[in-house]
Amino acid sequence: MLRLTINDKPCEVRTGATLIEALSQVGVEVPTLCHDERLLPSGACRLCVVEVDGWDHLATACNTAVLDGMAVHSHSPAVEDSRRTLLRLLAHDYPGDAIAAFPDKPFHHWLRHYGIEGGARTSAGTAWRDATHPYLHADMGQCINCYRCVRICDEVQGQFVWRVWDRGAVPRILPDSGTTLLASSCVSCGACVDTCPTGALEDQTMLARGMPDK
């Protein structure tokens, strides 16, 4: 077992645990967008950063292993400032109507938590949209490039349908067909919709009928 302090409270975790596991164990929640427990941690979104005494940089909690004797601060001023900055950047060109329609999506939840509004643009922008599939709907105007859809399709489902095209400053996530989801090799498992934190990928019935009440 490893001993550490989280927000000045001592705790013990198993050897090999990550900081996000330690935080969860003591009931401390930090925001995440790229993290899914079914996936290998990547630290890409950097919203889960925490402050560690003696370190000259903030540590991403999802992929940083606990070291014995660590002193961790999950919501220090520096940490909260970093999170607000990252969320503002992601929200700058994000459709505000999507937040209003589905306020409990993980990304929308954290925007509201930190008092950040989406952009003035609506979902009906110029980004790739696709409603050809009978079960799944895509609106990449709501995509924040967390790559969870790509990774869960590859790492968990082994289908390799979603791909990153035009890697660089403006990457695009599209199905392997390069055209529509219906024309792709999608097997309709729904894992991409399940992991998407924004609603860029959604169940068609959710859009048609709204959130289920039971």
Side-chain angles (χ1 to χ4, degrees):
M1 299 292 285
L2 300 175
R3 293 179 175 86
L4 72 158
T5 62
I6 296 177
N7 300 332
D8 300 321
K9 295 181 180 179
C11 63
E12 290 187 351
V13 296
R14 65 174 182 84
T15 301
T18 60
L19 285 175
I20 205 166
E21 291 178 70
L23 291 163
S24 178
Q25 182 175 304
V26 297
V28 175
E29 184 180 21
V30 293
T32 63
L33 291 175
C34 68
H35 184 65
D36 184 316
E37 291 181 354
R38 296 167 290 184
L39 304 174
L40 296 173
S42 68
C45 75
R46 297 196 61 78
L47 276 184
C48 68
V49 291
V50 295
E51 195 169 2
V52 180
D53 283 358
W55 290 31
D56 61 0
H57 62 276
L58 298 178
T60 45
C62 66
N63 63 351
T64 299
V66 173
L67 300 176
D68 200 46
M70 267 183 168
V72 178
H73 307 280
S74 62
H75 291 80
S76 67
V79 166
E80 294 289 81
D81 285 347
S82 175
R83 289 174 183 154
R84 286 191 183 90
T85 298
L86 289 168
L87 286 169
R88 285 193 188 101
L89 290 171
L90 290 172
H92 176 70
D93 197 35
Y94 191 83
D97 61 335
I99 301 170
F102 292 98
D104 293 326
K105 292 288 183 182
F107 180 51
H108 305 165
H109 163 79
W110 289 117
L111 289 179
R112 288 187 293 108
H113 179 83
Y114 284 95
I116 297 169
E117 297 182 356
R121 182 176 63 81
T122 65
S123 294
T126 58
W128 180 76
R129 303 180 80 216
D130 180 28
T132 60
H133 196 283
Y135 310 119
L136 311 180
H137 181 274
D139 179 0
M140 290 308 175
Q142 293 175 233
C143 179
I144 56 172
N145 290 330
C146 68
Y147 303 122
R148 280 164 62 167
C149 57
V150 177
R151 296 172 61 222
I152 203 164
C153 193
D154 293 0
E155 295 176 22
V156 179
Q157 301 302 101
Q159 298 299 321
F160 304 93
V161 175
W162 291 105
R163 297 182 182 178
V164 182
W165 301 66
D166 303 329
R167 289 181 182 271
V170 189
R172 296 184 302 147
I173 297 176
L174 295 171
D176 55 8
S177 62
T179 55
T180 68
L181 194 54
L182 187 62
S184 74
S185 61
C186 175
V187 297
S188 306
C189 71
C192 58
V193 168
D194 184 58
T195 196
C196 179
T198 68
L201 302 176
E202 189 57 275
D203 189 312
Q204 291 276 24
T205 59
M206 289 277 285
L207 298 176
R209 304 177 186 177
M211 292 286 290
D213 55 14
K214 61 180 178 179

